[in-house]
């Protein structure tokens, strides 16, 4: 009987290892990192519910796989009263164990056409995060959605940019947690051959997110720092094959940590002055 129990325990352990890579960040870790980026610390001083709602929504939208997001979805719908989101994870669930990142981690505006958008990033998941942000920060009362490029954008530009920032904080943390250059399912730090790049995206979205801070010296220092890190990574990275070269991955990995430090140093100073954020937390 004892041998049978041990066999069962080993079987369960192996299944868990297959489903979740040992170096993957969990939801609590992602939430803690997001708090530090937005508030300079692990503490949210006011209106904790707003923060936990966006943290849970980002975790659900980005990392749900194997039907493990049922509790988070239920919390968003019942506790946080988020409207216009799915009633069941069946609408966007994706399997594939530790390969699930191929279906959600390639970029905020990536279409995943090569996978038939199996995880419904474009049609469902992204909307879960944006709808939560839009509702909890009352963007409809601050800035109307816009008619852009011949189509109606449901969410205003700043709402979308804030969603992108939250998304890329998650991606950077996944890079920091990765221990192997073979784990290249996540959008790279900079644009390579035919790829999106995290820093490129941050540079694109920052003027939209911090639109009241563009004349601020802190904002200019932040953008200069992003440019510096981007230039340094460009020197060692063109495509994922470069990460297999001796010493390159370690250096690349260190740049991911430096990028996260940059966000934690500057974002709290900038975002607290934006009306949507100030209204919610200060």
């Amino acid at each position: 009987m004892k041998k049978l129990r041990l066999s069962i325990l080993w079987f369960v352990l192996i299944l868990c290892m297959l489903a979740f890579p040992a170096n993957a960040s969990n939801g609590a870790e992602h939430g803690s990192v997001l708090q530090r980026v937005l508030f300079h610390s692990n503490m949210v001083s006011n209106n904790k519910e707003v923060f936990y709602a966006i943290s849970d929504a980002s975790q659900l939208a980005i990392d749900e796989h194997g039907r493990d997001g049922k509790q988070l979805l239920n919390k968003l719908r019942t506790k946080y009263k988020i409207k216009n989101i799915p009633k069941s994870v069946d609408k966007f669930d994706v399997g594939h164990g530790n390969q699930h990142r191929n279906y959600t981690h390639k970029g905020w505006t990536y279409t995943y056409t090569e996978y038939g958008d199996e995880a419904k990033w474009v049609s469902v998941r992204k909307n879960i995060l944006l709808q939560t942000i839009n509702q909890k920060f009352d963007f409809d009362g601050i800035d109307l959605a816009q008619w852009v490029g011949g189509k109606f954008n449901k969410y205003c530009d700043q709402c979308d940019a804030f969603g992108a920032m939250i998304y890329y904080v998650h991606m950077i943390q996944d890079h920091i947690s990765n221990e192997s250059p073979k784990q290249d399912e996540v959008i790279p730090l900079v644009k390579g051959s035919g790829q999106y790049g995290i820093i490129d995206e941050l540079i694109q979205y920052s003027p939209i997110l911090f639109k009241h801070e563009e004349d601020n010296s802190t904002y200019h220092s932040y953008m200069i720092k992003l440019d510096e890190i981007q230039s340094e990574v460009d020197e060692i990275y063109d495509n994922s094959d470069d990460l297999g070269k001796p010493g390159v991955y370690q250096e690349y990995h260190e740049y991911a940590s430096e990028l996260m430090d940059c966000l934690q140093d500057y974002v709290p100073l900038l975002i607290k002055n934006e009306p949507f954020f100030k209204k919610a937390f200060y």
Side-chain angles (χ1 to χ4, degrees), residues 1-281:
M1 180 63 71
K2 187 175 181 180
K3 289 183 178 180
L4 177 60
R5 288 176 180 171
L6 286 173
S7 297
I8 292 172
L9 285 172
W10 275 111
F11 179 70
V12 172
L13 178 60
I14 290 170
L15 286 178
C16 290
M17 290 173 67
L18 289 172
F20 303 99
N23 52 350
S25 297
N26 58 35
E29 184 176 0
H30 278 298
S32 178
V33 168
L34 182 60
Q35 285 186 53
R36 291 197 295 274
V37 168
L38 297 180
F39 301 100
H40 250 323
S41 72
N42 287 325
M43 298 300 294
V44 182
S45 56
N46 296 306
N47 213 345
K48 292 180 173 62
E49 180 175 304
V50 171
F51 173 78
Y52 291 133
I54 61 172
S55 179
D56 286 350
S58 65
Q59 183 64 25
L60 177 66
I62 297 168
D63 267 348
E64 190 282 335
H65 66 285
R67 296 177 56 80
D68 66 356
K70 290 186 287 186
Q71 185 175 353
L72 284 177
L73 179 59
N74 183 61
K75 191 191 296 186
L76 287 174
R77 288 175 50 81
T78 59
K79 181 176 181 179
Y80 302 129
K81 309 297 183 185
I82 305 302
K83 302 174 182 177
N84 302 318
I85 60 175
K87 295 179 180 179
S88 169
V89 296
D90 291 342
K91 190 172 180 64
F92 57 93
D93 179 59
V94 66
H96 307 291
N98 61 10
Q99 298 298 313
H100 73 279
R101 296 197 293 188
N102 279 311
Y103 301 83
T104 56
H105 286 54
K106 299 289 190 181
W108 179 244
T109 58
Y110 198 84
T111 59
Y112 302 92
T113 53
E114 70 270 40
Y115 303 109
D117 195 21
E118 183 178 339
K120 303 295 188 294
W121 172 255
V122 177
S123 58
V124 179
R125 287 176 180 251
K126 192 174 177 180
N127 183 72
I128 291 173
L129 178 54
L130 285 172
Q131 180 63 24
T132 303
I133 293 170
N134 194 62
Q135 187 174 319
K136 287 301 180 182
F137 288 94
D138 192 26
F139 270 105
D140 286 340
I142 298 173
D143 192 2
L144 295 177
Q146 302 166 357
W147 182 266
V148 179
K151 65 178 181 178
F152 179 72
N153 284 353
K154 183 178 180 181
Y155 305 104
C156 71
D157 286 349
Q158 194 175 33
C159 176
D160 182 67
F162 188 44
M165 171 67 73
I166 292 170
Y167 176 87
Y168 286 121
V169 168
H170 188 114
M171 298 303 114
I172 298 166
Q173 181 58 33
D174 278 348
H175 274 294
I176 293 171
S177 298
N178 280 352
E179 296 174 356
S180 168
K182 294 181 180 179
Q183 294 175 313
D184 59 354
E185 310 97 336
V186 181
I187 176 176
L189 297 181
V190 295
K191 282 184 177 179
S193 303
Q195 298 171 310
Y196 286 61
I198 292 175
I199 303 177
D200 308 81
E201 295 279 286
L202 290 174
I203 290 172
Q204 174 187 330
Y205 284 108
S206 288
I208 303 170
L209 178 57
F210 307 122
K211 63 182 183 179
H212 295 88
E213 300 299 304
E214 288 192 76
D215 294 328
N216 188 317
S217 60
T218 302
Y219 173 81
H220 288 292
S221 296
Y222 162 67
M223 296 300 285
I224 289 170
K225 185 62 177 178
L226 288 180
D227 283 334
E228 288 176 352
I229 299 173
Q230 182 185 43
S231 296
E232 290 169 354
V233 180
D234 277 336
E235 292 181 4
I236 64 169
Y237 180 89
D238 181 61
N239 59 64
S240 58
D241 291 339
D242 291 331
L243 300 181
K245 298 175 182 177
V248 171
Y249 184 71
Q250 179 60 35
E251 192 174 356
Y252 182 87
H253 198 260
E254 290 170 359
Y255 281 128
S257 295
E258 185 177 349
L259 179 58
M260 185 68 84
D261 289 343
C262 171
L263 296 185
Q264 292 177 2
D265 287 343
Y266 287 103
V267 171
L269 301 175
L270 296 170
I271 201 167
K272 69 179 182 180
N273 296 320
E274 292 300 323
F276 80 92
F277 199 84
K278 190 173 184 178
K279 179 181 177 182
F281 293 112

